[in-house]
Amino acid sequence: SHEAPCVDTKCWEHAALSFDNLAKAQAGTDAGRVAKYELGVALFRLALYQRAYSIFCEIADDASHPRHAQTFLWLTALANILPEPADVA
């Protein structure tokens, strides 16, 4: 069955916890690396921008990451949200 996408905060909180657990359990694997990217997305959706920024920066520094290219779209979005001292610009 296909689950509906998250549309509310509670759903994104659950998603963030799930992706965090998966990223830790599968650390070093592609599944774990993708889970960390998805954790960044969930944190962004929860308006936890600085935490999302940290994750996306880590991924952006790893050209072999399975979601490397997509990460730059999120970093661009964060550049429009976070203040300059966040080192985004």
Side-chain angles (χ1 to χ4, degrees), residues 43-74:
L43 292 172
F44 180 94
R45 299 290 185 204
L46 290 166
L48 297 172
Y49 300 125
Q50 194 63 48
R51 291 177 64 198
Y53 174 74
S54 296
I55 289 172
F56 290 134
C57 282
E58 185 180 317
I59 294 169
D61 288 340
D62 180 3
S64 70
H65 192 284
R67 297 290 183 271
H68 182 257
Q70 294 95 319
T71 297
F72 292 97
L73 298 172
W74 293 104

Side-chain angles (χ1 to χ4, degrees):
S1 81
H2 184 65
E3 292 186 30
C6 286
V7 293
D8 64 14
T9 301
K10 187 171 179 123
C11 181
W12 283 114
E13 288 171 353
H14 178 74
L17 289 171
S18 296
F19 287 127
D20 186 46
N21 288 336
L22 181 60
K24 289 174 182 168
Q26 298 290 320
T29 68
D30 279 350
R33 295 164 77 199
V34 170
K36 190 158 193 176
Y37 167 85
E38 296 295 347
L39 172 59
V41 172
L43 292 172
F44 180 94
R45 299 290 185 204
L46 290 166
L48 297 172
Y49 300 125
Q50 194 63 48
R51 291 177 64 198
Y53 174 74
S54 296
I55 289 172
F56 290 134
C57 282
E58 185 180 317
I59 294 169
D61 288 340
D62 180 3
S64 70
H65 192 284
R67 297 290 183 271
H68 182 257
Q70 294 95 319
T71 297
F72 292 97
L73 298 172
W74 293 104
L75 286 172
T76 299
L78 286 164
N80 295 317
I81 296 169
L82 291 172
E84 290 255 350
D87 220 10
V88 177

